[in-house]
Structure formats: structure tokens, C-alpha cells
Amino acid sequence: MRDLNGPTLPRRSRRTAALLTTGAAVTATLLGVSSVPANAAPTAAAAGRSARTAAAPDISVANVKAHLAQLQSIANANGGNRAHGRSGYKASIDYVKGKLDAAGFTTTVQQFTSNGATGYNLIADWPGGDAGHVVFAGSHLDSVSRGAGINDNGSGSAGILEVALTVAKQGYKPDKHLRFAWWGAEELGLVGSQNYVRQLPAAERQKIDAYLNFDMIGSPNPGYFVYDDDPQLEGVFKDYFAGKNIPTEIETEGDGRSDHAPFKNAGVRVGGLFSGADYTKSASQAAKWGGTAGQPFDRCYHSSCDTTANINDTALDNNSDAIAHAVWTLSGGSTTPPGGGKVFESTSALDIPDAGAAVESPVTVGGVTGNAPSALKVGVDIRHSYRGDLVVDLVGPSGKTYRLKDASSNDSAADVVATYTVNASGEHADGTWKLRVQDVAAQDTGRINGWKLTF
Ligand code: DTR
Ligand code: ZN
Ligand code: ZN
């Protein structure tokens, strides 16, 4: 380790261990580099990586609330609501779709007509998994015309959106196929979900192992209600909450009152969560859940005060995490990275001009689903007589630059042979990545021997 307080030596004679630059998004470790055959093609991951069923990750309630803030802004900019047939609803669909498209989902917008207005369902499929077994999570995205509908049902919509985006960020590889949906015109009578189920061929319907519905999951005076339509699905949620010491009750007021009904009527197993609407919280419920007895679970139900202020963050957080638990548990997947550990590398040597312009060595990635992982490994092999002269960056397919190593005037050691870990989850994995190296000081020269990306 370089002695930070050591004597300042003349530049040429200093031989100090270097501190590799680490940053928030990048960490580095020094590793030997195995020799690689010239022009190696992308090599598959080491055979036999065992997939293991992964525990669900925590869902960021801050991210869920950020989606709610976006939906509130949309309502504010569109006459105060996000109702069927109004501009605020289509803007809501566009927002959710944009996030999912960027994360690598396959999205479909299904149109229908109700009350003389065009309605929209948004369906998002996570590529991969057994198409014969679908785990399906849905929420209605429309509000009533009286207000922004942040708890009813921005909360459910934002919760499943963040679960879906977390699937992508984690590079989750489910054994079963994952599908998510945001329904239109639920408030007009489950119109969007009924339209979807009605047009679904029986063979496709039979592939749905479970439909999970989330309509109001952040009520300000919350209860923890679990749908009791299917004992196994009810158990998945009840076990989760039991593990968190959160008591639950079965949901008794909802039969037929939300988008799970068309699926249930078509013979699909359904489950879901609910934090309560206009019914009143009893004293015994307040004793176990907190909140206010004698008051509705959501006093702003179907009212103009159903805004971002009408959310209980703890309920939103707990329910979003419970959704992730159910999705991961029911789909039985693994956390193998989206690329399955695939390596893409360049073994082309490239000279680095002394005190000159940056050079770039490209690597093209293909066949990796979704976005790059939050722990993308970048292995570099740079030979140079004074590595303190070098600035090293990774450039993603989007053009975004990730700093791997800064120049350092007192790092006189030779060569940069290291593996960096970069949070590149904002990038599509497929595309051309570049290693950019610049020599910013005179008198020493070197070259890029090669570099590689491991997904
Ligand atoms: N019908 C839903 C709200 C609602 C009322 N009771 C339940 C029970 C289960 C799910 C949802 C609901 C709406 O207004 O959107
Ligand atoms: Zn409603
Ligand atoms: Zn609702």
C-alpha cells in the first residue's frame, strides 16, 4: 500500500504500490490475467454453474414512491386525473411502458373501447422462462375521474412496476415465464382485464399458473389483507408476512371487486394483496396493525384527496416486498446473471500514444437478455512503464462513460492488470462496449494487450 505520508521522491525513482481508483460505481481488484488465444470468440460461462432458487431482493420503496410522484405529476398535467378515456390515463401507460422498454421487457399495448372511449392494457413479458408456465402479476392503472388515484391504484401499479424493474436489474432468470399487466378501465367495471381474458385463447389461459392482483396496497390507515381465493397462493403471502411478524386477515370484501375476478371466472388460480378502502378499521384491527380505529382504511377512496399524501409508506414498502417474494417464490428462478457468466473479450493489441489522444478498444456483446448487471466485471490487461500516466474508462453502448482508473502522478509502477466491478444496470447488455485509455503525461509508453467483459 502506498505510504500516503511517505517522502516525496523524484518521479523516476519512485516505485510505489498503486492505489487503483475506486468509485461509487466501480470497484477494482488486481488479478493476474490468463493468456487468451488470439481473437477469442465470446466464451460461454463455465459449464455447470448451478442455478439456485434465489430469495427475492428488497424492493426500494423510494423507487416505488418515485413512480407515484410521476403519476401524480401526470394527473396534475392532465386535468387532475388518470381516468379511462382521459389524457392522463394514456400518459400513465406511456410512462410505465417507457420504463419497461428501457429495462428489456417485451411490451404490448392492447386497445379496447368502453363508454365510447379508447382504453389501453399494457402487457409486459420478461423474456425467458418456461412459456408453458406463466406467473402473472397485474394492477389497474386507471383512476376515477375525481382524482389522481395514487393509492387506488397508483400504489399497486407502482409496486409491480418496481418489482418488474428489479427483475431486470437483478438479471433474474426465472424457471417460469413472468408477465406483468397494467389494466385500463377497472373503475368502469373491470373492463380492461375482462377484455384481456375474453380474447385470450383457452390454451394460453391454461398456461397461467397464477394471476396475482394488487389493487390498493398503500392505504393511509392500512390493513394487511390477503386474497383467500386459492389456498396455496394465500399461503405464499401469509407465510411472508408471518416471517415479518405482520398479522394478516383474509380479504372478504373483494370478491369480484377487482381485476382478479375475470381470471378467477376463467378458472385461473388467483391471489393478491389489499390494504383497505372505504370500510372502517375496527379496534381489534387497530390493536394489531396500528392506525386509527373507527376510521376508513382509506378516507380518500375515490376522492380528489387520493394524492401522494394519501399513502402509508410502511404498508407500500411491506406489500411491494411481499409482491417480490411471491413472484420469486412462484417462478423458482435463479440469480445467474443475464448473460449466464458469458465472457466477451478483445485480444487485439492497441498502442497508447505517449501524452496523446485517448484510444478505444471495442467489444461487441450479443445474446445477453435485458440490461447489464449491477456488478459487471471488466478485466483489463494494459502494459505500460508508468501506470500513473493512464486514465482508463469503460464506455457503454449508450455512450455513458464509467471511470475505472484516474491518472496519478505518484504511481510509478508498471502495467494495469486488474478487474473492475461496474454498476452498468442502466445499460442494455447487447451492443458495442469500449475500453478507453489515455496517456496524459510524457516519457512513458504502452499498449492495451486485451480486455474482457463478464456478464
Ligand atoms: N374495487 C376496487 C377497490 C376495492 C374495494 N374492495 C376491494 C377488495 C379487493 C381489491 C380491491 C378492492 C377499486 O375501486 O379499484
Ligand atoms: Zn377504485
Ligand atoms: Zn382500485
Side-chain angles (χ1 to χ4, degrees):
M1 172 66 76
R2 177 163 56 92
D3 174 359
L4 294 174
N5 301 308
T8 303
L9 301 174
R11 175 177 156 175
R12 280 292 171 217
S13 57
R14 276 177 299 193
R15 305 293 299 173
T16 56
L19 274 182
L20 289 170
T21 303
T22 59
V26 176
T27 54
T29 48
L30 274 166
L31 280 183
V33 175
S34 58
S35 62
V36 283
N39 302 324
T43 50
R49 178 190 291 271
S50 62
R52 56 183 175 76
T53 299
D58 177 69
I59 300 302
S60 160
V61 70
N63 290 354
V64 178
K65 285 171 66 70
H67 299 314
L68 292 181
Q70 288 292 330
L71 295 178
Q72 180 71 64
S73 300
I74 287 168
N76 296 347
N78 289 278
N81 68 71
R82 300 179 305 102
H84 165 73
R86 308 290 183 82
S87 55
Y89 179 70
K90 183 62 170 59
S92 301
I93 284 279
D94 293 344
Y95 169 73
V96 175
K97 184 179 188 297
K99 289 287 184 184
L100 293 162
D101 288 341
F105 280 81
T106 303
T107 59
T108 307
V109 176
Q110 184 185 61
Q111 290 192 12
F112 58 88
T113 301
S114 181
N115 273 12
T118 302
Y120 306 90
N121 291 327
L122 172 63
I123 316 296
D125 285 278
W126 179 239
D130 178 352
H133 292 275
V134 179
V135 173
F136 198 154
S139 291
H140 76 85
L141 184 57
D142 62 311
S143 75
V144 293
S145 54
R146 241 172 273 133
I150 297 305
N151 185 37
D152 182 20
N153 183 37
S155 62
S157 296
I160 66 170
L161 172 60
E162 191 55 27
V163 168
L165 296 179
T166 305
V167 163
K169 280 178 213 162
Q170 292 277 319
Y172 181 51
K173 290 168 66 67
D175 295 339
K176 295 186 177 182
H177 181 77
L178 291 184
R179 182 170 298 149
F180 298 84
W182 289 262
W183 305 117
E186 185 272 351
E187 300 290 6
L188 278 69
L190 320 182
V191 176
S193 54
Q194 278 177 344
N195 184 280
Y196 176 83
V197 173
R198 195 177 299 129
Q199 59 75 46
L200 198 62
E204 291 305 309
R205 213 167 48 223
Q206 285 151 15
K207 294 174 184 174
I208 303 173
D209 285 1
Y211 171 75
L212 307 174
N213 193 64
F214 305 100
D215 182 354
M216 302 177 73
I217 65 168
S219 303
N221 187 24
Y224 288 88
F225 298 99
V226 177
Y227 292 16
D228 64 343
D229 306 82
D230 176 274
Q232 193 235 345
L233 300 180
E234 177 189 346
V236 169
F237 289 113
K238 289 180 82 167
D239 290 350
Y240 175 78
F241 282 114
K244 300 285 182 186
N245 295 318
I246 297 174
T248 55
E249 291 185 8
I250 57 171
E251 202 297 300
T252 53
E253 63 164 290
D255 285 354
R257 288 192 62 175
S258 192
D259 296 302
H260 57 303
F263 287 88
K264 182 173 184 179
N265 295 339
V268 175
R269 295 169 58 205
V270 302
L273 298 174
F274 177 55
S275 54
D278 48 350
Y279 283 29
T280 300
K281 180 180 277 185
S282 69
S284 63
Q285 290 172 328
K288 62 182 166 183
W289 288 328
T292 310
Q295 290 294 318
F297 294 102
D298 180 356
R299 64 178 184 74
C300 289
Y301 175 60
H302 286 185
S303 305
S304 59
C305 57
D306 188 2
T307 66
T308 46
N310 187 48
I311 291 289
N312 177 286
D313 291 1
T314 304
L316 185 67
D317 192 7
N318 288 332
N319 284 323
S320 298
D321 289 335
I323 296 170
H325 170 78
V327 166
W328 258 254
T329 300
L330 293 169
S331 62
S334 68
T335 54
T336 304
K342 278 195 192 118
V343 174
F344 297 84
E345 56 199 341
S346 164
T347 56
S348 304
L350 183 60
D351 287 336
I352 306 164
D354 184 21
V359 292
E360 294 183 343
S361 171
V363 162
T364 300
V365 173
V368 177
T369 305
N371 281 19
S374 55
L376 175 65
K377 300 295 183 190
V378 186
V380 305
D381 177 6
I382 302 169
R383 304 299 163 143
H384 194 279
S385 50
Y386 195 102
R387 69 179 170 210
D389 289 357
L390 301 179
V391 174
V392 184
D393 290 313
L394 173 70
V395 184
S398 69
K400 183 178 176 183
T401 300
Y402 303 83
R403 177 55 51 88
L404 303 183
K405 176 193 175 295
D406 288 316
S408 168
S409 60
N410 60 3
D411 177 3
S412 61
D415 305 338
V416 180
V417 178
T419 292
Y420 300 89
T421 301
V422 177
N423 179 357
S425 56
E427 299 276 351
H428 276 304
D430 284 358
T432 299
W433 298 73
K434 297 171 199 157
L435 185 72
R436 178 184 292 160
V437 182
Q438 184 173 17
D439 179 334
V440 296
Q443 295 176 31
D444 289 85
T445 56
R447 71 177 184 283
I448 300 172
N449 248 9
W451 70 288
K452 64 181 178 179
L453 293 166
T454 302
F455 285 80

